[in-house]
Amino acid sequence: MNEKVAIIGGGIVGASAAYYLSSLPGGSQISVTLYDDGAGQATKAAAGIISPWLSKRRNQRWYQLAKDGATTLMTLARQANLATDIYHQTGTIITRTNEKDLHDLYVLAQERQADAPDMGDVELLSAKEVQQRMPLLTNPQPGIFVSGGARIDGGALVTELLAQAQRVNLTVKHERVNLDGDGNLQFPTGKQHFDHVIIAAGPWLNDLLKPLGIKAAVRPQKGQLIELSVPDYSTQENMPALMPEGERDFIPLGYGKLIVGATHDDEAGFNLTATPEATQDLLNSAKQFADYLTADNVTKVKVGTRAYSTDFSPFFGRLKSHPQLLVASGLGASGLTTGPLIGRLLAGTLIYGGTPDWSNYEKPLSDYLS
């Protein structure tokens, strides 16, 4: 008889888990139901840059997870035949204004290449060379070009992964669910038992685990980004994404569209209202590099809620107290990079069993759950 799996949360982890439960060998024998009411989902509002290799974060577990996550996305893009408006390996440019900082970053890039061949080519660019590759810019800065970097549309990626999984073994239900004290899904009409449940509900994890007497060390963070209309250069579809020092990410999408963001608001909690202050902050950041931009260029504003752990690191795995339950949360701003790998790891352990050792990617789950 087919095993029944429920996934709570249709963001980057939940959608990736659903996709891999449908595509990994043996997964098609599993019946999967995903529940998500769509409110506040960070991935739906997210567009981002996949380029973790030059991060200065000292957390080596996070770096290993992000590095392998970038590789997972490259493979996923080929396997799922993702369109370039979902995932596009355009390369990324990371800028520095100080000459010594730029040199140090270039040295770091060369060192990281040895352990991360998926970085691709690394080039040191002058401000003029940066502008040649990104003619949208009027005030370029010198930087490092990494050819393996990519831009990604989170909402479009989730939609595509779920659509492909639905053709195999996935049912999607747009509703909110709760758990009872035994880990069963609770509905107004009664409870329903699943053999396994993946809880990938971001900052809402605490609400779901409360009936089990478990508290998760996660908090919500509001993020806002803006989409702007810009000149449609013939090369824009293949323009690199820009990670400027001290400013917001600058992501050309092609066809005269530009994404700038995102903000990090720790005080707003689950508030999903777009604010003029955040929009102006993002616009001011964009104008540092493209001074012709005005409020009239803003065509869209998106808001979502991320989950952050106490040490800013993702955590995921099976609950010892309730072995049928698996959780994932705390991805923060790196969710588009790390989420697909986490989803694949969770799907793999459901299909193949065992107790995999993920200590190279995360601290013990008990560090985040009490």
Side-chain angles (χ1 to χ4, degrees), residues 46-365:
I49 298 174
I50 309 300
S51 188
W53 304 286
L54 300 190
S55 170
K56 292 292 189 69
R57 285 178 66 164
R58 296 180 181 179
N59 184 335
Q60 288 303 304
R61 289 188 180 91
W62 175 87
Y63 176 69
Q64 190 67 38
L65 180 69
K67 177 172 73 73
D68 291 352
T71 299
T72 297
L73 270 165
M74 292 180 188
T75 304
L76 174 63
R78 293 191 297 269
Q79 179 185 5
N81 195 27
L82 298 179
T84 55
D85 59 351
I86 298 177
Y87 173 93
H88 195 11
Q89 205 166 326
T90 56
T92 52
I93 296 175
I94 301 93
T95 67
R96 293 291 184 271
T97 54
N98 180 277
E99 186 175 348
K100 182 181 183 304
D101 290 345
L102 184 65
H103 173 75
D104 291 346
L105 190 67
Y106 185 53
V107 171
L108 175 65
Q110 292 175 312
E111 292 173 351
R112 292 265 171 94
Q113 262 187 311
D115 187 46
D118 288 327
M119 282 178 67
D121 298 325
V122 174
E123 298 178 55
L124 182 63
L125 302 179
S126 66
K128 182 178 180 180
E129 289 170 326
V130 169
Q131 188 174 41
Q132 287 172 346
R133 300 198 185 200
M134 300 189 69
L136 286 173
L137 306 180
T138 56
N139 302 310
Q141 298 173 349
I144 308 296
F145 174 75
V146 179
S147 68
R151 58 170 165 81
I152 188 168
D153 184 325
L157 174 63
V158 161
T159 298
E160 178 63 21
L161 294 181
L162 292 179
Q164 293 195 25
Q166 283 177 287
R167 293 197 285 267
V168 182
N169 62 349
L170 174 68
T171 300
V172 175
K173 296 193 175 183
H174 301 287
E175 58 184 287
R176 178 165 296 207
V177 297
N178 297 298
L179 298 175
D180 66 13
D182 296 319
N184 297 305
L185 268 65
Q186 190 72 43
F187 301 90
T189 55
K191 66 181 181 181
Q192 186 173 349
H193 173 77
F194 286 84
D195 298 295
H196 305 280
V197 180
I198 295 175
I199 309 171
W204 291 271
L205 179 62
N206 263 316
D207 291 341
L208 286 161
L209 294 181
K210 187 177 292 185
L212 307 174
I214 298 174
K215 181 174 176 57
V218 292
R219 59 176 172 81
Q221 184 191 76
K222 180 181 178 181
Q224 183 169 319
L225 57 76
I226 57 175
E227 183 178 304
L228 304 101
S229 61
V230 292
D232 187 6
Y233 291 88
S234 60
T235 60
Q236 192 178 357
E237 290 173 55
N238 299 309
M239 254 184 226
L242 184 70
M243 304 173 73
E245 181 181 17
E247 297 294 338
R248 313 298 183 183
D249 289 343
F250 198 94
I251 310 171
L253 297 182
Y255 308 104
K257 294 180 181 179
L258 171 71
I259 293 288
V260 176
T263 59
H264 297 76
D265 187 344
D266 290 325
E267 306 301 323
F270 293 96
N271 187 325
L272 295 173
T273 304
T275 65
E277 295 80 10
T279 297
Q280 188 62 49
D281 173 82
L282 293 166
L283 181 60
N284 289 342
S285 181
K287 290 173 69 172
Q288 297 293 315
F289 305 94
D291 56 17
Y292 54 84
L293 293 172
T294 70
D296 292 337
N297 294 99
V298 178
T299 58
K300 190 178 299 183
V301 180
K302 293 183 178 181
V303 179
T305 308
R306 312 180 187 95
Y308 270 89
S309 66
T310 49
D311 63 355
F312 303 96
S313 298
F315 59 89
F316 53 96
R318 191 181 296 274
L319 298 185
K320 288 185 177 180
S321 59
H322 297 78
Q324 81 276 28
L325 303 181
L326 296 91
V327 300
S329 190
L331 278 65
S334 67
L336 292 177
T337 303
T338 60
L341 174 55
I342 293 173
R344 182 170 67 82
L345 293 173
L346 295 178
T349 195
L350 288 190
I351 296 171
Y352 307 121
T355 53
D357 180 7
W358 294 327
S359 59
N360 58 323
Y361 292 143
E362 62 171 346
K363 294 178 181 178
L365 201 57

